[in-house]
Amino acid sequence: MAASEESLVFAKIVRYVAQQIEDVAAADDPGAAGGYAAVLAELADAFEYTGGFKYSYEQSRHLVEVFALLEGAMHNLAHQATRLEQHNAAAKMQWAAGQAGEMRSEVQRRHDDGEGGVVAFVGEDDGAPN
């Protein structure tokens, strides 16, 4: 997959997770998870339109939590897709979970170093990590 394709696939999955969070929150407590759904929608926009985003040190701690939430949700969706024998969807979810985990680790590392950074998909020619 080219970097732009990766960004679009990741954005689509993030949007799906955001919608699932909104649906569950609306059923239980309409205001409960709205903050996470809104943040996930912003992340999806960033990946869809620009391939990523820049963040400050002050934002990094919250981003670590968001990427951990995404990683867990994506693993869960992959498991559900596997049970339903939707192997292509399961593979995409597993890939996305791996990407979210790598992003979480990198944002955590930069937070520990007192830095902000950039989260983005890079092209094969760039040689830089995600």
Side-chain angles (χ1 to χ4, degrees):
M1 262 191 276
S4 63
E5 289 178 57
E6 289 176 334
S7 295
L8 291 174
V9 169
F10 193 77
K12 184 181 262 188
I13 295 170
V14 170
R15 252 186 239 299
Y16 181 79
V17 171
Q19 186 60 53
Q20 294 299 306
I21 289 172
E22 273 187 11
D23 292 349
V24 168
D28 293 340
D29 179 6
Y36 276 110
V39 168
L40 292 176
E42 285 182 39
L43 286 179
D45 286 347
F47 284 112
E48 183 175 348
Y49 299 120
T50 62
F53 59 93
K54 186 174 181 177
Y55 63 93
S56 68
Y57 168 77
E58 292 77 19
Q59 296 168 310
S60 62
R61 192 74 200 123
H62 184 63
L63 280 172
V64 168
E65 294 172 8
V66 170
F67 282 122
L69 172 101
L70 270 176
E71 183 180 11
M74 291 168 173
H75 277 300
N76 194 20
L77 289 169
H79 179 68
Q80 290 173 10
T82 299
R83 280 194 353 247
L84 295 171
E85 297 186 15
Q86 300 293 321
H87 302 294
N88 188 35
K92 285 180 182 177
M93 293 298 173
Q94 270 309 108
W95 168 82
Q99 295 298 310
E102 288 178 21
M103 291 172 190
R104 177 189 42 78
S105 294
E106 180 62 17
V107 172
Q108 181 66 59
R109 184 190 68 74
R110 288 189 170 272
H111 175 78
D112 292 346
D113 290 345
E115 304 172 347
V118 174
V119 174
F121 286 93
V122 295
E124 292 177 22
D125 299 343
D126 295 340
N130 289 353

